[in-house]
Amino acid sequence: MTSQERINLALDHKEADRVAIQDAPWGTTVERWHREGLPEGVSPAEYFGFDLTGYFPDLSTRFPEEMLEETEEYYLKRNSWGWW
């Protein structure tokens, strides 16, 4: 079964051959893995066979960004989450 088939079944609430694997290890973790034997030039996703990689949806409220105040020392800006 391919990763795409596995993910599609999961999204359809159906059973696949195994649970789809997804992870996003920290950069320092990946560096350590390379020191411990993960081949250089090989990503953890490729090595471990992750089914889903690079899925980072924008979950913000998508408010328009707005510059509230700007001086030579600082600026105050409201971001897409509504925070400043």
Side-chain angles (χ1 to χ4, degrees):
M1 180 171 287
T2 68
S3 292
Q4 183 173 356
E5 292 168 334
R6 197 171 289 116
I7 296 296
N8 286 340
L9 285 172
L11 292 173
D12 286 338
H13 304 281
K14 295 180 181 173
E15 194 170 321
D17 61 336
R18 64 171 174 81
V19 174
I21 301 171
Q22 189 276 333
D23 201 358
W26 296 335
T28 53
T29 301
V30 176
E31 290 171 10
R32 179 177 174 173
W33 288 347
H34 282 295
R35 287 194 309 270
E36 294 177 352
L38 179 65
E40 288 298 326
V42 176
S43 71
E46 181 182 354
Y47 188 80
F48 294 112
F50 294 173
D51 295 299
L52 184 64
T53 60
Y55 179 70
F56 304 102
D58 178 4
L59 301 176
S60 73
T61 55
R62 298 188 182 184
F63 290 132
E65 292 193 356
E66 179 182 3
M67 185 65 70
L68 302 174
E69 185 178 342
E70 186 171 5
T71 71
E72 290 184 18
E73 296 178 21
Y74 68 91
Y75 67 89
L76 185 59
K77 184 177 183 180
R78 182 176 293 132
N79 65 16
S80 61
W81 288 92
W83 304 331
W84 49 90

